[in-house]
Amino acid sequence: MTPTEVRKLVALAEHGKSRDMAIYAQSCSKIEGIQAKINALHADKRQQNLSGDGDFNALARWQRWSETEIAKLQSLHNEAAKEKEVARQVAVKSVAKVQALEILLKKALKEDILIKRRRAEQNGQPPDA
């Protein structure tokens, strides 16, 4: 492959890498948002338990509701964690593709220089003319 062809492939791979990294970042922020909601519910629950004043029936209903919400959010968190891992693996592959193409570009550039030197030598010119 010529350096020009490899450069085109590197540009495409960089675009794919950017896309995959954005998807990974999005999944990370999704997990952080879910975890923040879980933490907020736990904090509210502790606050309600510490205050202890008011209607015990209402407190029991609220605790039941908060436990249900925490369970739902935990389920969402687990699903998001799986999605995050898949996105991470895709992003790692994209980064590896870019690195491999950059190595190929270096090799293609070296090969191009050698070909130019050989041609110059065959035509009786100095090697780096």
Side-chain angles (χ1 to χ4, degrees):
M1 293 182 102
T2 65
T4 306
E5 293 170 334
V6 178
R7 280 189 187 105
K8 288 178 184 177
L9 290 175
V10 168
L12 289 173
E14 282 286 346
H15 179 70
K17 180 181 110 174
S18 298
R19 180 198 64 226
D20 294 339
M21 293 299 283
I23 291 170
Y24 177 66
Q26 196 174 29
S27 64
C28 288
S29 65
K30 181 179 177 181
I31 284 180
E32 289 173 2
I34 293 170
Q35 189 61 47
K37 290 177 184 178
I38 291 172
N39 292 342
L41 278 175
H42 279 301
D44 287 348
K45 191 174 171 185
R46 280 192 295 273
Q47 185 64 31
Q48 290 291 334
N49 287 339
L50 290 178
S51 66
D53 57 338
D55 185 12
F56 288 113
N57 288 330
L59 181 62
R61 284 192 304 270
W62 186 88
Q63 285 180 342
R64 214 173 313 124
W65 173 84
S66 67
E67 287 296 325
T68 304
E69 282 299 307
I70 289 172
K72 287 179 188 175
L73 288 171
Q74 196 63 44
S75 174
L76 284 175
H77 186 274
N78 292 340
E79 289 175 25
K82 290 176 186 174
E83 290 173 9
K84 176 187 168 188
E85 180 58 26
V86 169
R88 186 191 69 79
Q89 290 174 353
V90 170
V92 165
K93 283 183 183 179
S94 293
V95 170
K97 286 177 188 178
V98 170
Q99 289 174 345
L101 286 170
E102 287 173 349
I103 291 169
L104 283 177
L105 179 60
K106 286 180 185 178
K107 288 181 180 180
L109 287 171
K110 285 180 183 178
E111 185 66 29
D112 193 41
I113 289 171
L114 288 175
I115 290 171
K116 286 179 181 177
R117 285 182 180 167
R118 285 184 195 138
R119 283 187 190 149
E121 218 174 85
Q122 288 173 353
N123 293 332
Q125 297 174 348
D128 290 323

